[in-house]
Amino acid sequence: MSLRTTILAATAVLALGACSRGNDATSTGASNGSDLGATGMATATPTATPATPASASQSFADAAAASDAFEIETSRLALANSSSSAIKRYAQAMIDAHEASTAKLKTVAAGLSPAIQPVATLNPEQQQQVESLRAAKGAAFDSAYAAAQATAHQQTLDVLKAYAASGDVPALKTFAQGLVPTVTAHLNMAKGLKA
């Protein structure tokens, strides 16, 4: 799958998700109730109406926020469920790095004109992986976590590189470019994890 196809697919999924969240909030009068409260990620109803697809910058910010939320959530599970000290060290490093990334993304997004608010809603694949990891323990968890980390970091790296190359907002392009070396390092670390 090419980087352009990956970005287009992520944008489509996020736009559809934004549409359904907008409908839910409108019909129930409730705010977006995501299961990400434990991650400290802000979840808000997108400003886009159900008929309006999210902008490329909003889609990118949402994808980056969801990536951070996924890394934090699965790494917290690793601290609780892993039997490996190496996995636990990696997990704590991921929590620290992705909390810092989230804070930086929020700062960059708030400084845009107009400001955007990253929505950290996990996509169905990410949610399914979290649920799978919740059920695993010990060596089975370690193996699944290491594989999930390698896959997630590769996907994030692809999104960052694509937005850095052709994004529509300079500040977000700079943010994406700045994260490429960090995510590359995380990917290499994940590939080196021994379950």
Side-chain angles (χ1 to χ4, degrees):
M1 180 182 293
S2 73
L3 292 179
R4 180 168 171 75
T5 304
T6 301
I7 281 288
L8 291 174
T11 301
V13 167
L14 290 169
L16 288 174
C19 291
S20 69
R21 283 192 308 274
N23 288 338
D24 291 346
T26 302
S27 64
T28 64
S31 66
N32 181 7
S34 175
D35 187 29
L36 299 176
T39 65
M41 298 294 297
T43 57
T45 303
T47 56
T49 62
T52 305
S55 69
S57 57
Q58 182 69 56
S59 294
F60 169 75
D62 291 351
S67 172
D68 282 343
F70 176 79
E71 296 300 334
I72 293 166
E73 183 71 19
T74 57
S75 293
R76 286 184 176 154
L77 289 172
L79 293 178
N81 297 347
S82 177
S83 61
S84 164
S85 60
I87 295 273
K88 288 183 178 192
R89 279 192 306 274
Y90 174 85
Q92 188 59 58
M94 292 306 98
I95 291 168
D96 296 343
H98 289 280
E99 285 177 346
S101 172
T102 296
K104 186 171 184 175
L105 175 62
K106 287 180 179 180
T107 300
V108 170
L112 299 176
S113 182
I116 61 174
Q117 183 166 0
V119 179
T121 302
L122 299 183
N123 67 39
E125 179 185 346
Q126 290 169 321
Q127 190 61 47
Q128 188 276 329
Q129 286 182 324
V130 168
E131 294 307 318
S132 248
L133 287 170
R134 273 197 185 113
K137 301 285 186 246
F141 176 89
D142 294 344
S143 179
Y145 174 75
Q149 289 297 301
T151 299
H153 280 98
Q154 183 61 62
Q155 290 170 344
T156 300
L157 185 59
D158 293 344
V159 169
L160 290 171
K161 286 181 175 180
Y163 195 85
S166 61
D168 59 343
V169 176
L172 286 175
K173 285 179 73 166
T174 300
F175 170 81
Q177 289 166 341
L179 278 182
V180 166
T182 301
V183 174
T184 300
H186 292 176
L187 173 61
N188 291 334
M189 290 165 59
K191 287 178 178 179
L193 288 173
K194 301 294 182 221

